[in-house]
């Protein structure tokens, strides 16, 4: 029902809201709720992007692209806590968390402004010539 860019935009917005809830409100309930929103947004976006990756690269590059995407997802999951820990030594923790919200906000902006045009990939029938047959030549 929704295109991949729409889903990732919604999940990025969910992540931004989650981070800002933790940054703005104190107490266990907002921290747990904000963390849950952030995790759901991050994990959901990862699943959507991993599913979209094979359609965005050539067939010979799919394995490499999937590996690099998974690496970047793991790296991104580690950058957030490290950035907050590093910034909280300079600014208060809520300000560090608010600064961290800039990353998914940038992803949201990119999802909304740089969405891909609809591309129709040819099916196997279109790739075969008029005289081509299916299966092995044996």
């Amino acid at each position: 029902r929704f295109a991949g860019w729409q889903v990732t935009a919604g999940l990025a917005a969910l992540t931004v809201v989650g981070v800002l809830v933790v940054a703005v409100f104190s107490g266990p309930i907002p921290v747990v709720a904000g963390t849950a929103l952030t995790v759901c947004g991050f994990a959901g976006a990862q699943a959507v992007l991993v599913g979209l990756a094979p359609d965005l690269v050539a067939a010979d590059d799919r394995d490499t692209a999937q590996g690099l995407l998974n690496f970047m997802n793991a790296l991104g999951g580690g950058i957030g806590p490290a950035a907050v820990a590093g910034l909280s030594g300079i600014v208060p923790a809520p300000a560090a968390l608010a600064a961290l919200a800039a990353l998914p906000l940038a992803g949201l902006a990119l999802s909304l402004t740089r969405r891909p045009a609809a591309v129709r990939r040819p099916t196997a029938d279109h790739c075969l010539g008029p005289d081509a047959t299916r299966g092995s030549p044996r």
Side-chain angles (χ1 to χ4, degrees), residues 51-57 62 121:
L52 291 174
D55 294 335
L56 300 175
V57 295
R62 286 186 181 151
R121 294 181 146 263

Side-chain angles (χ1 to χ4, degrees), residues 1-137:
R1 177 175 269 193
F2 296 104
W5 68 268
Q6 292 170 316
V7 175
T8 56
L11 291 167
L14 186 69
T15 303
V16 169
V17 169
V19 172
L20 290 177
V21 164
V22 174
V24 173
F25 301 104
S26 61
I29 293 174
V31 169
V32 169
T35 302
L37 291 173
T38 303
V39 168
C40 289
F42 180 80
Q46 180 180 356
V48 171
L49 292 173
V50 166
L52 291 174
D55 294 335
L56 300 175
V57 295
D60 291 344
D61 297 330
R62 286 186 181 151
D63 292 337
T64 303
Q66 289 284 39
L68 287 173
L69 179 62
N70 284 327
F71 171 71
M72 293 306 295
N73 283 327
L75 180 66
I79 286 174
V84 170
L87 287 173
S88 64
I90 301 168
V91 298
L97 285 165
L100 183 65
L103 293 174
L105 187 60
L108 173 61
L110 286 173
S111 292
L112 295 175
T113 59
R114 306 280 298 172
R115 65 178 185 253
V119 176
R120 294 195 60 154
R121 294 181 146 263
T123 61
D125 291 336
H126 293 101
C127 294
L128 298 173
D131 297 330
T133 58
R134 291 182 181 266
S136 64

